[in-house]
Amino acid sequence: MTRYIFVTGGVVSSLGKGVITSSLAAVLEARELKVNILKMDPYINVDPGTMSPFQHGEVFVTVDGAETDLDLGNYERYSSAIMTKDNNFTTGQIYEEVIRRERRGDYLGATVQVIPHITDEIKRRIKAAGVGHDVLIVETGGTVGDIESQPFLEAIRQLRLEEGSDSAVIIHLVLVPYVPSAGEIKTKPTQHSVKELRSIGLQPDILVCRSEKPLAKSARSKIALFTNVEERAVVSFPDLQTINQAPGAMHAQGVDEIVVDRLRLDCPAPDLSSWQAVVDAELHPDNETRIAIVGKYLDLLDAYKSLVEAVSHAGIQTRTKVSIDYIDAQELEDQGTDRLAGVNAILVPGGFGARGFEGKILAAGYAREHKVPYLGICYGLHAAFIDFARNVADLPAAHSTEIDAKTPDPVIALITEWTDRDGRTETRSEDDDLGGTMRLGEQKCLLNQGSLAARLYGATFAAERHRHRWEVNNNYVEGFEAKGLVVSGRSEDGKLVEMIELEGHPWFVACQFHPEFTSSPRDGHPLFTGFIEAALAHGKGHGEPPVEANDGHRAEVLKDGTSS
């Protein structure tokens, strides 16, 4: 029987519910439990795919192509669970499904209401996500008291009543602020947040108290008294040096032990040695390097959440302190490429639209001309391909039809047909909706043996995730190859360019997919690890870095169980 852990938040947003959820999953997995994670988002958008990166941050793409909340990336980085469309739903999806059923007549003429119809659909999806697992951890987006999240909390109340109190645990994350003028912490916001939760029928079993410094025993006792929570279950969770200390901190505070006791689970003590090794490598690096990320959504770095994490993971794998210069691509357009002069490697990430794209092309050109290690992702591949077209293949007007539909040399063009991971043919046109119509999800990339990409992966193929509409125009590939471009990866059907490199360059790799989505602290990712190794070599002036096969990377294994 599946047990449930519900994680809610109070007082303010952005306290780290996703971190608490992911870290608890890591510890429970270390106790040999089979864990799945679900995120419930209260916004009315069907998914975050069309939301502004400045508002919502990164869109995380699951293995089956769902565009989801960035917290799902954290779930995958900290657990072995592979996220799918079933691991995230929004208020918009719930209402869309209920209205669809109403239109079909499924409710037999009943008046459709929040209770029971909306809450029943929420409960159905929660239960479905828990099938086949010992524990399902459910993170509820928003803050207790928000009108948007009330149906989710009501569904939790009903589910806990239906399943029994020993089948569900509620963890409430709160802020315990420190007031400098008074010289003390204040517990009143926590008390009021729990009061709000109890007013809708939910009594938290565990309080995780976020604060700058550890809470004194007297503060924990006071909170326990006024919130009707056991003192041992009032957990102090102060700021950490690194997020990767969170699993160890959860265990040190006894959170997993309380959960196991409440849910009556029989499991061994956790082995967190792999997380201890991660923290040791991160906090005690042997090397240091500086790279540049040339992007266009730098006002909110959460827009590049998985990317920055993947760079950090590569630093852990190589025991390197990686300093990042975040450079606005538009700044390169306006002021030139001098900002790139002091870095040991350049990373150009994905994006959409014309703003800043010429700056990304300039960054790719700088890396090509100055032999600086380069990693281009999605739009970063487009930038590199266009730079090559203009400055090596003598096509000065070359462009992407995303930016210039009338370019005489459309070296990047709209993809209209491709084969998905299940072998089905997908088609699109310029008139399709923006939401959910890109080439999405995990697909197989066949690697050109002898290429740098193949040596990095140590495999004949890689399975990576996509999120884009425009592709390399194959009509130009043969001519570019004659001038030194290397196509090092293609789609399984051979029709689409997936990866490119440059002859005579020590380390220049660009990919159409998003490798950052499959990187993790414990395993890293071969492309990012190789990128940081190349940056170290460039900084030391040692030329081309050694390349070791990375047979343990999970992106090389397809989800049907086959591998290279």
Side-chain angles (χ1 to χ4, degrees):
M1 182 180 72
T2 303
R3 268 74 163 191
Y4 302 94
I5 301 170
F6 297 101
V7 180
T8 61
V11 184
V12 294
S13 60
S14 301
L15 288 179
K17 290 194 301 294
V19 173
I20 296 299
T21 299
S22 305
S23 301
L24 182 57
V27 179
L28 293 179
E29 277 196 347
R31 299 188 74 136
E32 300 180 7
L33 294 169
K34 189 174 182 182
V35 180
N36 199 15
I37 312 173
L38 173 67
K39 174 72 184 291
M40 304 190 298
D41 279 307
Y43 48 77
I44 299 176
N45 304 65
V46 172
D47 63 42
T50 58
M51 294 171 70
S52 167
F54 293 114
Q55 263 192 32
H56 186 266
E58 171 187 87
V59 174
F60 183 80
V61 179
T62 63
V63 66
D64 57 351
E67 295 175 286
T68 67
D69 186 82
L70 60 82
D71 278 324
L72 271 72
N74 224 35
Y75 302 163
E76 280 204 3
R77 288 188 282 271
Y78 278 75
S79 75
S80 62
I82 301 299
M83 299 293 106
T84 71
K85 65 180 185 302
D86 297 327
N87 292 90
N88 184 211
F89 62 81
T90 69
T91 293
Q93 290 176 20
I94 296 296
Y95 275 83
E96 184 181 51
E97 177 61 24
V98 169
I99 291 170
R100 184 183 297 116
R101 291 180 183 176
E102 185 273 331
R103 293 290 84 187
R104 286 200 309 255
D106 290 2
Y107 299 121
L108 302 177
T111 300
V112 179
Q113 297 175 295
V114 173
I115 303 172
H117 301 97
I118 296 298
T119 52
D120 281 353
E121 177 60 16
I122 294 170
K123 289 187 294 181
R124 183 190 70 78
R125 294 191 182 215
I126 292 173
K127 291 178 180 179
V131 172
H133 297 84
D134 298 316
V135 176
L136 174 68
I137 307 178
V138 183
E139 179 188 348
T140 306
T143 304
V144 170
D146 294 345
I147 191 170
E148 294 93 344
S149 60
Q150 285 183 355
F152 292 143
L153 298 175
E154 171 60 21
I156 292 171
R157 185 193 68 79
Q158 294 178 20
L159 190 61
R160 192 182 196 190
L161 187 65
E162 294 164 4
E163 297 292 319
S165 59
D166 59 351
S167 294
V169 165
I170 296 175
I171 299 176
H172 191 50
L173 178 64
V174 293
L175 175 68
V176 182
Y178 174 77
V179 181
S181 60
E184 59 185 7
I185 64 151
K186 293 297 181 181
T187 65
K188 193 65 70 176
T190 295
Q191 296 176 39
H192 281 295
S193 183
V194 173
K195 181 181 178 182
E196 182 76 29
L197 197 60
R198 292 172 67 183
S199 71
I200 55 177
L202 293 174
Q203 168 65 46
D205 301 290
I206 301 172
L207 282 179
V208 177
C209 302
R210 290 284 290 112
S211 57
E212 294 181 23
K213 299 178 181 180
L215 294 184
K217 185 180 185 302
S218 59
R220 293 173 57 235
S221 298
K222 182 178 180 181
I223 291 171
L225 178 65
F226 283 94
T227 60
N228 200 35
V229 175
E230 283 185 83
E231 186 174 328
R232 70 165 185 146
V234 177
V235 175
S236 175
F237 208 82
D239 295 344
L240 304 171
Q241 287 180 274
T242 165
I243 188 177
N244 293 317
Q245 292 176 310
M250 293 288 281
H251 176 61
Q253 292 282 344
V255 176
D256 57 312
E257 196 63 41
I258 297 170
V259 166
V260 166
D261 288 348
R262 289 292 178 94
L263 298 179
R264 300 182 183 180
L265 292 166
D266 183 17
C267 54
D271 177 6
L272 297 177
S273 57
S274 62
W275 287 106
Q276 292 164 357
V278 164
V279 171
D280 180 68
E282 185 174 13
L283 297 184
H284 304 97
D286 297 326
N287 312 290
E288 186 170 358
T289 194
R290 179 175 295 277
I291 70 168
I293 292 181
V294 181
K296 56 185 293 183
Y297 308 121
L298 300 180
D299 288 345
L300 181 66
L301 288 182
D302 269 357
Y304 298 113
K305 180 66 175 176
S306 290
L307 186 81
V308 175
E309 290 292 326
V311 171
S312 171
H313 303 159
I316 291 167
Q317 299 301 310
T318 58
R319 296 192 77 97
T320 301
K321 178 183 177 182
V322 183
S323 299
I324 301 175
D325 287 350
Y326 295 97
I327 300 175
D328 193 308
Q330 199 149 10
E331 181 181 327
L332 299 185
E333 295 179 22
D334 299 336
Q335 302 175 23
T337 56
D338 289 349
R339 279 286 307 276
L340 299 172
V343 301
N344 295 317
I346 298 169
L347 196 162
V348 177
F352 296 93
R355 185 182 64 82
F357 187 49
E358 289 295 332
K360 293 190 173 192
I361 296 171
L362 288 171
Y366 182 94
R368 175 182 54 79
E369 292 173 356
H370 293 82
K371 306 296 185 185
V372 178
Y374 177 85
L375 178 58
I377 296 173
C378 197
Y379 223 20
L381 180 145
H382 296 180
F385 201 77
I386 291 171
D387 165 68
F388 191 92
R390 292 177 180 177
N391 300 303
V392 179
D394 300 320
L395 300 174
H399 221 314
S400 167
T401 58
E402 178 182 2
I403 311 302
D404 182 2
K406 297 181 179 179
T407 174
D409 288 298
V411 295
I412 303 294
L414 181 71
I415 179 176
T416 58
E417 183 177 301
W418 68 92
T419 304
D420 69 12
R421 65 190 292 263
D422 298 319
R424 296 187 297 262
T425 298
E426 295 271 1
T427 59
R428 296 289 184 271
S429 76
E430 292 181 356
D431 298 326
D432 283 333
D433 291 342
L434 292 179
T437 59
M438 288 184 276
R439 182 182 173 204
L440 292 163
E442 183 184 89
Q443 295 175 32
K444 196 174 183 179
C445 168
L446 302 182
L447 301 173
N448 182 357
Q449 296 310 290
S451 66
L452 174 59
R455 301 204 311 274
L456 288 166
Y457 277 103
T460 58
F461 68 84
E464 299 280 12
R465 301 180 194 180
H466 297 71
R467 184 177 184 253
H468 57 94
R469 289 189 179 84
W470 280 265
E471 300 269 359
V472 167
N473 186 337
N474 281 318
N475 294 326
Y476 292 87
V477 170
E478 186 175 349
F480 288 11
E481 287 179 318
K483 292 181 179 292
L485 185 89
V486 177
V487 175
S488 53
R490 281 189 173 272
S491 58
E492 188 172 10
D493 60 10
K495 295 179 179 179
L496 303 174
V497 172
E498 291 276 19
M499 301 187 74
I500 62 171
E501 300 171 14
L502 294 181
E503 290 181 358
H505 195 290
W507 209 98
F508 193 104
V509 176
C511 51
Q512 184 63 78
F513 47 77
H514 288 268
E516 67 269 28
F517 290 150
T518 51
S519 179
S520 68
R522 289 177 288 182
D523 298 327
H525 187 288
L527 292 187
F528 286 95
T529 299
F531 178 63
I532 296 304
E533 288 174 343
L536 288 170
H538 181 82
K540 295 173 182 177
H542 291 165
E544 185 173 349
V547 177
E548 297 180 1
N550 189 332
D551 295 326
H553 180 61
R554 72 182 184 190
E556 297 169 18
V557 180
L558 291 178
K559 304 312 172 193
D560 61 6
T562 62
S563 70
S564 58

